[in-house]
Amino acid sequence: MEKEYALEMKNIEKEYYGNKVLKNVSLSVKPGEIHALVGENGAGKSTLMNVLFGMPVIHATGGFSGEVYIDGEKVDIKSPYEAMKQGIGMVHQEFMLIPNFTVTENIKVNREITKANFISKLSKSKGMETLNTKAMNSDARKALDTLGIGIEEWARVAGLPVGHMQFIEIAREIDKTGIKLLVFDEPTAVLAESEADRLIAAMKQLSASGIAILFITHRLTEVLQAADTVTILRDGELVATRKAEDTSVVELAELMVGRKIEITGKTEVVEQAVSDKEIVLEIKDLKVQMPGEEVKGIDLKVFKGEILGIGGLAGQGKVGIANGIMGLYPGSGEVYLAGERLELNNTKQALKKGLAFVSEDRRGVGLLLDSSIEHNIAVTTMQVKGKFLKRFGFFDQIDVKATREHANKIIKDLDIRCRGPQQLTRQLSGGNQQKVCVARALTLDPEVLFVSEPTRGIDIGAKKLVLDLLVKLNKELGMTIVMTSSELVELRSICDRIAIISDGKVEGILAPGASDREFGLMMAGEYRKLQSKEAV
């Protein structure tokens, strides 16, 4: 008898060190159904898939509560290998291919077909058998033909177009025997529109053969194009499940983003406030080659004295903007600070001219963890502006008195909780480490402060302290701040305007009080498309 559901996940809950990231989530996928799973960054999609695949990060942190059923039978999956044995496969967003292997070798890796030879017969050892390349090529060809892809199975993967690599990933999964459920993780993220259409056609063909498909994506138009059912997660909770035919891009966008948000009082006068202000930073056709966060031509104006937010989903390019302007990744285009053109790809000049940057990589880029707080605060200003140094003949030495006086003052001003300026930065909490990063940037006395993911990896109390600090710097010192964040609720709580980045470009700029519908459409990259249709 045919089972009603290929996959059932019931009342799944998961917490990491007291922080609950999945809250009573249930999900059911029928055989032959394409079920879309959508949500913002941090909604819980990846954690739910980690539970399904038995990833070590789940079981090494206390496991999870709830039940998982495959074909109606309760399972306890403890590893990806066990998931594969249960008939679950995944097509990853990041390719899991071996470049110097052929297409066939990638499809059959760890499932090679062998044949006996003289030595294996003599030694009675299967380990001495040779590869049956004819049979392997035949299987690979069958999988590729199922997807309608005309790649030669003997071709090497290195140098193939990105779209072809994605289809090889799918071919590898459907070549596995007993496949019941295929998870597609952002499969169209790297594909051109025509390739995306072909992939969706292939998904429908696979579902028609009885394979259940879980389709994880943020492209809402493709959700409605491909899916039978849509489940929306937000902040670790199941918000709604809809039949695709009964919903719309607009409703999905609202469900994906909508939440209670406390907005500061300044949002109502945003348009009037910025229209009279001078432009302090102007960006023209900025392109940045940052892996995973490529910027593909940004035009943006930043007004003096404002907090400009930059938001968007992961991998869309928002993080690349500040990193490119600061010269940490190769960039091209034009950037003007107070009317003067900056030289790109030159970090020292950017700092000298009046920019400062608090990196999203606090430990890797932002801090010298085994140095003192005072040294961390002063070191960039020493190198760039020659401050906190004393000259002795031909040599410069650190001015310990000046450095300590400045450190003590800024520790007090920013309320950095520590034993004193000589304490090692490594010993501080995450929130206080972030304040040290801000202190280092402020010591440069910048014209514009870039802050990237300022609350990443710190607890909720520390988050509020960091956000309050940014507001204080803006209001009391009149500092211009450009804040990049994956946390839309935080951008909406402190920013004057919010630029949403999609596919490496500005999808639009909104006031923080704009509707959830507008934010959701922009985050999904659907806003301009919808505006164009409405205009027609």
Side-chain angles (χ1 to χ4, degrees):
M1 188 178 75
E2 186 177 331
K3 306 294 182 185
E4 185 180 1
Y5 293 107
L7 169 69
E8 289 179 276
M9 302 183 79
K10 296 182 177 180
N11 311 119
I12 303 297
E13 298 203 341
K14 173 63 186 171
E15 65 175 51
Y16 290 114
Y17 310 108
N19 178 30
K20 191 166 280 192
V21 293
L22 288 176
K23 307 162 192 172
N24 200 34
V25 174
S26 296
L27 177 71
S28 301
V29 187
K30 296 178 179 179
E33 177 187 32
I34 299 178
H35 194 121
L37 182 64
V38 300
E40 274 189 286
N41 302 329
K45 305 186 299 294
S46 296
T47 304
L48 192 63
M49 290 305 98
N50 285 341
V51 168
L52 175 61
F53 279 87
M55 299 301 280
V57 68
I58 297 296
H59 297 288
T61 53
F64 68 96
S65 64
E67 299 173 334
V68 179
Y69 294 83
I70 302 293
D71 277 349
E73 293 187 13
K74 188 175 178 180
V75 295
D76 183 18
I77 298 172
K78 291 290 179 63
S79 71
Y81 178 70
E82 289 183 22
M84 188 174 75
K85 287 202 297 184
Q86 290 288 344
I88 305 171
M90 175 173 261
V91 178
H92 297 269
Q93 181 181 359
E94 301 294 333
F95 300 138
M96 302 291 178
L97 300 175
I98 304 170
N100 288 323
F101 277 24
T102 66
V103 172
T104 292
E105 288 166 342
N106 271 282
I107 289 174
K108 302 298 289 187
V109 68
N110 286 335
R111 296 179 299 106
E112 294 84 356
I113 303 170
T114 59
K115 60 182 178 181
N117 56 41
F118 174 75
I119 297 174
S120 68
K121 289 176 182 177
L122 192 66
S123 63
K124 296 181 180 179
S125 170
K126 280 191 69 69
M128 299 302 290
E129 290 184 349
T130 51
L131 292 177
N132 189 340
T133 52
K134 185 177 180 181
M136 288 169 60
N137 282 333
S138 176
D139 282 0
R141 183 73 267 154
K142 182 180 176 183
L144 293 168
D145 287 344
T146 300
L147 299 172
I149 302 300
I151 314 168
E152 299 292 351
E153 62 272 17
W154 44 261
R156 290 204 180 278
V157 166
L160 287 177
V162 168
H164 285 182
M165 292 186 188
Q166 186 67 280
F167 282 102
I168 294 168
E169 288 262 2
I170 301 169
R172 183 187 61 213
E173 296 304 317
I174 65 174
D175 179 63
K176 295 173 181 175
T177 54
I179 197 79
K180 300 169 187 172
L181 172 71
L182 259 182
V183 179
F184 285 77
D185 182 15
E186 298 281 4
T188 61
V190 295
L191 301 182
E193 193 171 334
S194 60
E195 291 172 327
D197 290 340
R198 193 192 304 168
L199 184 136
I200 288 170
M203 286 170 57
K204 289 182 175 179
Q205 187 178 346
L206 293 172
S207 68
S209 71
I211 296 173
I213 290 177
L214 197 53
F215 180 28
I216 302 172
T217 184
H218 69 268
R219 294 184 175 180
L220 301 183
T221 302
E222 291 174 0
V223 167
L224 299 184
Q225 185 182 346
D228 302 301
T229 310
V230 190
T231 290
I232 303 97
L233 296 184
R234 186 173 71 230
D235 297 331
E237 298 183 62
L238 191 153
V239 177
T241 296
R242 295 276 191 272
K243 287 290 181 185
E245 61 196 29
D246 297 332
T247 188
S248 65
V249 167
V250 171
E251 185 191 27
L252 292 176
E254 289 176 341
L255 289 169
M256 190 172 82
V257 177
R259 58 167 71 84
K260 292 180 182 177
I261 297 174
E262 293 181 11
I263 306 293
T264 56
K266 61 185 178 182
T267 58
E268 286 80 10
V269 294
V270 162
E271 293 304 320
Q272 182 185 352
V274 299
S275 61
D276 299 330
K277 290 185 177 179
E278 65 178 287
I279 297 168
V280 67
L281 186 74
E282 186 169 7
I283 303 164
K284 296 182 179 180
D285 195 29
L286 177 68
K287 296 174 183 174
V288 182
Q289 298 170 33
M290 182 177 182
E293 288 286 348
E294 185 180 356
V295 180
K296 302 176 183 177
I298 293 282
D299 294 303
L300 203 56
K301 293 177 180 176
V302 183
F303 296 99
K304 189 173 180 65
E306 75 169 331
I307 301 179
L308 175 70
I310 298 180
L313 296 174
Q316 296 300 302
K318 66 180 185 294
V319 175
I321 296 172
N323 278 277
I325 292 172
M326 297 305 299
L328 298 179
Y329 289 90
S332 64
E334 299 174 25
V335 178
Y336 296 88
L337 180 63
E340 182 184 351
R341 184 170 178 175
L342 295 180
E343 179 188 341
L344 290 175
N345 307 309
N346 188 332
T347 302
K348 193 167 185 178
Q349 199 220 34
L351 294 169
K352 272 186 175 179
K353 292 293 183 180
L355 299 181
F357 181 40
V358 178
S359 172
E360 68 283 351
D361 185 2
R362 181 170 68 235
R363 288 174 164 261
V365 175
L367 294 171
L368 302 170
L369 290 169
D370 292 314
S371 292
S372 65
I373 296 169
E374 62 185 5
H375 184 64
N376 268 278
I377 289 171
V379 64
T380 305
T381 305
M382 288 179 191
Q383 294 173 328
V384 174
K385 297 191 173 181
K387 292 184 178 180
F388 306 112
L389 296 172
K390 290 193 294 189
R391 193 79 172 172
F392 286 94
F394 297 104
F395 303 100
D396 288 326
Q397 282 193 328
I398 295 174
D399 187 337
V400 176
K401 184 182 177 185
T403 302
R404 188 151 301 161
E405 285 177 356
H406 174 75
N408 279 323
K409 181 179 184 303
I410 206 161
I411 285 169
K412 183 180 178 183
D413 289 346
L414 302 189
D415 192 23
I416 299 172
R417 305 295 174 88
C418 62
R419 295 196 299 270
Q422 293 172 282
Q423 184 179 353
L424 294 184
T425 312
R426 182 183 294 281
Q427 297 169 346
L428 298 178
S429 67
N432 284 301
Q433 285 182 352
Q434 191 68 291
K435 286 183 178 181
V436 173
C437 291
V438 174
R440 176 193 281 187
L442 294 181
T443 301
L444 285 162
D445 193 21
E447 187 80 19
V448 177
L449 174 63
F450 285 98
V451 186
S452 188
E453 302 288 7
T455 62
R456 176 182 285 173
I458 59 179
D459 64 62
I460 192 164
K463 285 183 179 185
K464 186 176 188 310
L465 291 173
V466 170
L467 294 175
D468 286 348
L469 171 60
L470 294 177
V471 172
K472 181 181 177 183
L473 294 172
N474 175 252
K475 286 183 175 178
E476 295 183 9
L477 304 181
M479 183 171 290
T480 305
I481 298 173
V482 180
M483 173 177 161
T484 303
S485 178
S486 299
E487 302 289 340
L488 186 57
V489 65
E490 293 175 3
L491 292 175
R492 293 178 79 172
S493 70
I494 72 167
C495 295
D496 297 291
R497 298 182 300 146
I498 302 168
I500 301 297
I501 309 301
S502 177
D503 195 26
K505 297 184 177 181
V506 177
E507 182 73 12
I509 300 175
L510 294 170
S515 69
D516 292 339
R517 170 186 183 273
E518 289 176 293
F519 275 106
L521 288 171
M522 283 194 182
M523 300 273 279
E526 303 289 347
Y527 187 82
R528 284 185 292 182
K529 294 178 191 173
L530 204 63
Q531 293 292 95
S532 299
K533 286 180 184 176
E534 290 175 355
V536 172

